[in-house]
Amino acid sequence: MEDKKIITVFGATGQQGGALARAVLTDGSSPFAVRAVTRHPDSDRARELQRLGAQVVRADADDAAGLGAAFDGAYGAFLVTNFWEHMSAEREKAQARALADAAGHAGVQHAVWSTLEDTRACIPLDDPRMPTLQGSYKVPHFDAKAEADHYFADAGVPTTYLRATFYWENLLGAFGPQRGEDGALQLSFPMGNSRLAGIAVDDIGRTALAVLERGTDLIGATVSIAGEHLRLADMATALTEAVGVPVHYRPLTPDAFRALGFPGADEAGNMFQYYADCEEGFVAARDLDAVRELDPALQSFATWLAAHRDELRATWA
C-alpha cells in the first residue's frame, strides 16, 4: 500500500462498499489501495478482502470516537450507511454526521458519499398519497441520506454525492418473485406500468471508482446512476426467459403492498410508490449514456440476468 493512495471503504463487507473494494482490488493498474472498514474483521467476507490485498480494520459508524484511525493517512473514502439494519432515519443521520466529521478531521481529499434523493421534493409531507413515517419523512432511508448531504460540506470534506437506485440483487432476496397460491411465481410491486430504475451492485462499485479516478473533476457534483429503466412486466418476461419458468408481474396498490406486514413494508411501499409517482424526474436524473461514460462495462438487466442465471434457477426453478 506504500506506493498507492489509500481509499477508506466503509461497508466493505456489504453490497456497495464491497463492490468498490472488489473493483479496486481486481484492477492491477489502479492507483488506489483499499482500507476495508468493517465491524467484523474476522468474518469470511473480511478475510476474502484481505486475501485479495485489502487492509482490513475494525470501526463502527455508531462509535464516532473510534472512527479516526480508519481515516488516518487516507487520500479518499467511500462512505455508506445501512438503514435496513436498524430502520431508523435519525440513527442513519447520526452515523452520516460521524463519518463526515471524522473524514473532515482527517483531511480526506475526496469522499464519495452514497446518498439518495429527498422524496419530499416530489411528495410533500402533507401530501396524502402516502403516509408520513417516523414523524417527518416519506421514505426515511432516502430522506435521511439527503438531509445528511450537508454534513460533508459543513465538515469541509471534498465530496461527490453518488445517488444509486434499486439493486437487481434484491431480486435474489426479499424482493424476488414469490410463489402464489396457485404455485406460480409472481413479481409483486406497487408500480403499475411505471419504469423501475435498476442497477447491478458491481456497477455501483465501478462507478464510484471512476469518480475517484477523475480526481477533483466531480467534487461537489451529484452523480445519479442506473443500469437500465424497465417496466416490471418487461422484467418479469426477462426473468421468465432467464430461469425457464413463468414469472408473472402482479401489480399491487401501494396500500396493499404496505399492508403485507413484513418488517419495513411501509418503508418499502412508500419507496416503490415514490419510484412510480415520481418516475419522470427520477429516471431523467439517471442518464444511462452519462453513466456509461464513467463505467463502460455498465450492465443491462439482460447482462445481469445472464451472469446470475444459475443462481436464479437454483432459487426458483
Side-chain angles (χ1 to χ4, degrees):
M1 297 181 71
E2 293 179 0
D3 59 345
K4 294 191 175 187
K5 298 177 180 178
I6 296 171
I7 303 297
T8 293
V9 181
F10 276 78
T13 56
Q15 297 261 50
Q16 294 190 36
L20 172 58
R22 290 191 302 273
V24 175
L25 294 169
T26 57
D27 179 359
S29 63
S30 175
F32 301 123
V34 172
R35 178 178 291 154
V37 182
T38 175
R39 290 170 301 171
H40 306 291
D42 294 327
S43 68
D44 289 343
R45 289 185 178 183
R47 288 174 175 165
E48 175 62 14
L49 291 174
Q50 191 169 36
R51 186 190 68 78
L52 291 172
Q55 175 193 18
V56 176
V57 301
R58 187 192 181 284
D60 187 339
D62 285 322
D63 177 19
L67 290 176
F71 292 99
D72 186 33
Y75 160 80
F78 179 79
L79 306 173
V80 63
T81 52
N82 185 2
F83 170 89
W84 297 101
E85 283 189 338
H86 48 74
M87 294 191 283
S88 166
E90 296 305 311
R91 182 173 172 185
E92 187 164 38
K93 288 195 297 183
Q95 291 175 341
R97 185 188 291 275
L99 293 172
D101 289 346
H105 183 74
V108 166
Q109 296 179 53
H110 191 179
V112 176
W113 161 235
S114 177
T115 186
L116 288 165
E117 281 86 344
D118 191 325
T119 66
R120 296 162 297 187
C122 177
I123 304 176
L125 287 179
D126 60 358
D127 191 318
R129 277 181 288 173
M130 66 172 65
T132 294
L133 303 178
Q134 299 187 29
S136 57
Y137 307 100
K138 285 301 187 183
V139 185
H141 79 282
F142 272 64
D143 302 340
K145 290 182 178 70
E147 283 191 19
D149 286 354
H150 75 89
Y151 297 157
F152 298 88
D154 292 350
V157 183
T159 302
T160 302
Y161 303 88
L162 185 67
R163 290 178 175 173
T165 187
F166 181 86
Y167 314 157
W168 289 323
E169 281 75 7
N170 288 324
L171 296 173
L172 295 166
F175 293 119
Q178 304 294 320
R179 297 269 177 202
E181 293 181 0
D182 61 357
L185 286 170
Q186 297 178 340
L187 195 61
S188 300
F189 286 79
M191 290 196 62
N193 199 39
S194 298
R195 292 169 295 169
L196 176 63
I199 195 167
V201 166
D202 282 346
D203 285 307
I204 300 175
R206 285 196 293 264
T207 306
L209 176 56
V211 167
L212 290 164
E213 289 177 339
R214 290 273 293 268
T216 60
D217 287 1
L218 293 172
I219 287 175
T222 296
V223 178
S224 301
I225 61 174
E228 195 168 2
H229 311 301
L230 290 170
R231 291 178 172 82
L232 271 296
D234 294 331
M235 291 177 68
T237 298
L239 283 163
T240 296
E241 294 172 355
V243 302
V245 296
V247 179
H248 305 287
Y249 173 42
R250 176 192 174 212
L252 299 176
T253 67
D255 283 341
F257 191 94
R258 284 187 282 265
L260 291 176
F262 61 85
D266 53 355
E267 169 86 17
N270 281 16
M271 175 185 72
F272 287 119
Q273 185 175 355
Y274 167 72
Y275 283 144
D277 290 4
C278 305
E279 172 196 9
E280 183 176 348
F282 192 83
V283 166
R286 288 157 173 79
D287 181 329
L288 302 184
D289 290 334
V291 180
R292 196 167 286 109
E293 286 184 10
L294 288 168
D295 175 15
L298 184 69
Q299 297 172 76
S300 67
F301 187 51
T303 304
W304 181 85
L305 286 173
H308 291 81
R309 182 175 286 116
D310 291 345
E311 191 175 359
L312 292 164
R313 288 176 173 170
T315 302
W316 303 320

